[in-house]
Amino acid sequence: MSTQRNSAADSDQGFLATPSPGERGGTGRGLASLARPEIRALRPYPHATWEPELTRLHANESPWRSTADTSGAGLNRYPEPQPRTLIERVAALYQVPADTVLVTRGSDDAIDLLVRVFCRAGQDAILICPPTFGMYAVAAGIQGAHVVEVPLRAAEGFAVDEAAVLRACGPEVKLVFLCSPNNPTGNLLSSDAILRIAEELGGRALVVVDEAYIEFATRESVAAHRSRVTNLCILRTLSKAFSLAGARCGTLIADPEVICLIRKVTHPYALAQPTVEAVMRLLEPAALAEARERCALIRDERERLMFALGALPTVKRVWPSRTNFLLTAFTDASAALERARRSGFLVRDLRGDPAFPDSVRITVGTPEVNDRLLEAWS
Ligand SMILES: *Cc1c(COP(=O)(O)O)cnc(C)c1O
């Protein structure tokens, strides 16, 4: 059980006040005890109190908005830390309780925060299942954490090797990153396998499921199981299916005890006011409906593009995808990259990855862009 539950980070207007273990029914299993002891003991920066009804003379801000400032709240003021209305809207979007939500500057920020909070440099480790998203290993490298690799089973459609993951999880492994659907292979991992891994690791490690592409997969998030499997953490982002990569807004869904710890480490004013306002506009019903429609269009285009690419003589293989991209192997990847570029297209070169010496990753575009890309390769 953590002894740091009543730290200053928890007391921010009582918004994230930690419920008693009884209230949470079976949670509070001391997940905080997995964190670095320095972080558990850390006193966070006491950011300026958020009391919007009072005139702010406590944060050394300018009293005037710039006349060029078109924001709603005024960019002369520091933004609300972990804005309450934003958290509530995001929690509703992802159908999870608000006290299990932390908003971050994209999921990349959440990955970095998790590694910094849970891994001691030179001692602890993360576990990843390559080929997968590169940021997990980069965040570990920055923190000085080791990286344990358990490859996905290429012959079985890049399925997670459940037994091998569990075997490889020594006491030094604090975080297991599972990307589902996976980047760059495009496949979903089995939810049952993810849940069994998390259950098996119980109070020993956090299992972080990166669902950056789940909206394209027509599959439920594993977040529905988080209240039962408390060491499960989920990463969601508005960058892909919600057309908001430029705003930088990700969400970490985790046990309130984990959220409280990470709030101690995240920057006090992590989300810029223009981002908060852009996200609030996007979460209005009409904008959400538009995002859902476009997501469905991308799924249709993905299937069309997959078959069309597969019919090209220069294409060796297109992997099935539950995302908004297609992993594609060419007979001559260099030639394909060169032809794409000459026609004005950038596609992701994966040749540096030993798993994909002849492959590129193609983001599904608008129907007309996809047509022009196919033409360039025909
Ligand atoms: C794009 C991507 C992210 C990063 O999302 P941001 O919220 O923009 O930081 C996270 N995970 C995976 C697997 C991605 O492909």
Side-chain angles (χ1 to χ4, degrees):
M1 204 58 190
S2 165
T3 53
Q4 305 295 327
R5 300 275 292 272
N6 297 319
S7 66
D10 300 354
S11 65
D12 183 22
Q13 313 156 65
F15 176 44
L16 278 181
T18 311
S20 74
E23 281 173 303
R24 286 213 305 265
T27 61
R29 289 174 199 159
L31 290 170
S33 68
L34 294 173
R36 289 167 51 202
E38 315 80 285
I39 301 298
R40 298 204 308 265
L42 182 76
R43 289 193 63 75
Y45 174 74
H47 60 68
T49 354
W50 183 259
E51 290 179 79
E53 63 284 3
L54 303 181
T55 300
R56 291 168 69 91
L57 297 176
H58 69 331
N60 301 348
E61 299 155 339
S62 166
W64 301 288
R65 293 168 66 117
S66 162
T67 44
D69 179 353
T70 56
S71 69
L75 298 182
N76 55 320
R77 303 298 184 189
Y78 282 101
E80 180 183 359
Q82 292 295 309
R84 188 186 178 115
T85 49
L86 179 69
I87 297 249
E88 280 166 1
R89 296 293 282 280
V90 165
L93 176 69
Y94 297 137
Q95 301 180 350
V96 295
D99 68 347
T100 64
V101 163
L102 182 92
V103 285
T104 56
R105 291 172 293 194
S107 333
D108 286 346
D109 186 27
I111 293 163
D112 180 58
L113 287 165
L114 281 164
V115 174
R116 280 195 288 144
V117 167
F118 286 91
C119 294
R120 291 168 296 179
Q123 294 185 49
D124 296 325
I126 68 163
L127 186 148
I128 62 171
C129 297
T132 193
F133 187 50
M135 275 306 292
Y136 316 133
V138 170
I142 292 169
Q143 174 63 12
H146 300 291
V147 179
V148 176
E149 297 193 357
V150 178
L152 296 171
R153 296 160 80 100
E156 280 140 65
F158 296 105
V160 62
D161 191 337
E162 199 179 322
V165 166
L166 292 175
R167 270 199 309 276
C169 262
E172 74 287 3
V173 172
K174 294 292 166 63
L175 300 167
V176 174
F177 284 96
L178 298 174
C179 188
S180 179
N182 187 44
N183 180 4
T185 58
N187 60 298
L188 276 162
L189 307 186
S190 147
S191 298
D192 290 343
I194 292 171
L195 293 172
R196 279 194 300 265
I197 289 169
E199 278 175 310
E200 201 61 45
L201 293 175
R204 285 195 284 146
L206 298 182
V207 172
V208 184
V209 186
D210 186 342
E211 295 186 332
Y213 299 97
I214 192 82
E215 294 87 356
F216 301 106
T218 54
R219 158 84 65 90
E220 289 295 302
S221 163
V222 295
H225 302 275
R226 204 218 48 78
S227 58
R228 180 175 57 85
V229 187
T230 54
N231 60 330
L232 201 58
C233 305
I234 297 98
L235 300 175
R236 301 288 301 257
T237 180
L238 298 176
S239 293
K240 309 283 162 60
F242 293 95
S243 308
L244 221 60
R248 314 304 301 127
C249 185
T251 298
L252 169 69
I253 301 163
D255 188 87
E257 207 174 298
V258 171
I259 298 292
C260 286
L261 264 179
I262 295 192
R263 285 194 71 174
K264 291 167 77 167
V265 177
T266 190
H267 286 249
Y269 309 105
L271 254 62
Q273 188 61 27
T275 294
V276 174
E277 292 179 13
V279 174
M280 288 306 288
R281 284 196 301 274
L282 179 128
L283 297 180
E284 293 293 333
L288 272 183
E290 179 186 71
R292 293 212 168 94
E293 246 166 60
R294 288 179 169 174
C295 205
L297 176 60
I298 293 288
R299 285 197 298 266
D300 290 347
E301 279 296 296
R302 174 186 73 204
E303 298 307 299
R304 180 176 80 88
L305 193 56
M306 181 178 83
F307 286 110
L309 284 168
L312 297 177
T314 51
V315 167
K316 279 203 295 196
R317 183 167 184 187
V318 191
W319 278 263
S321 170
R322 305 294 292 272
T323 65
N324 67 338
F325 58 80
L326 289 163
L327 175 63
T328 308
F330 286 84
T331 49
D332 183 344
S334 311
L337 284 158
E338 182 51 35
R339 271 179 87 170
R341 178 175 269 283
R342 265 193 282 119
S343 307
F345 296 106
L346 287 171
V347 291
R348 187 65 165 240
D349 182 0
L350 296 181
R351 290 173 303 167
D353 188 325
F356 306 110
D358 49 10
S359 296
V360 302
R361 194 191 66 197
I362 305 158
T363 307
V364 179
T366 63
E368 33 312 349
V369 162
N370 301 333
D371 283 342
R372 284 199 284 122
L373 179 69
L374 287 166
E375 214 168 282
W377 278 333
S378 294

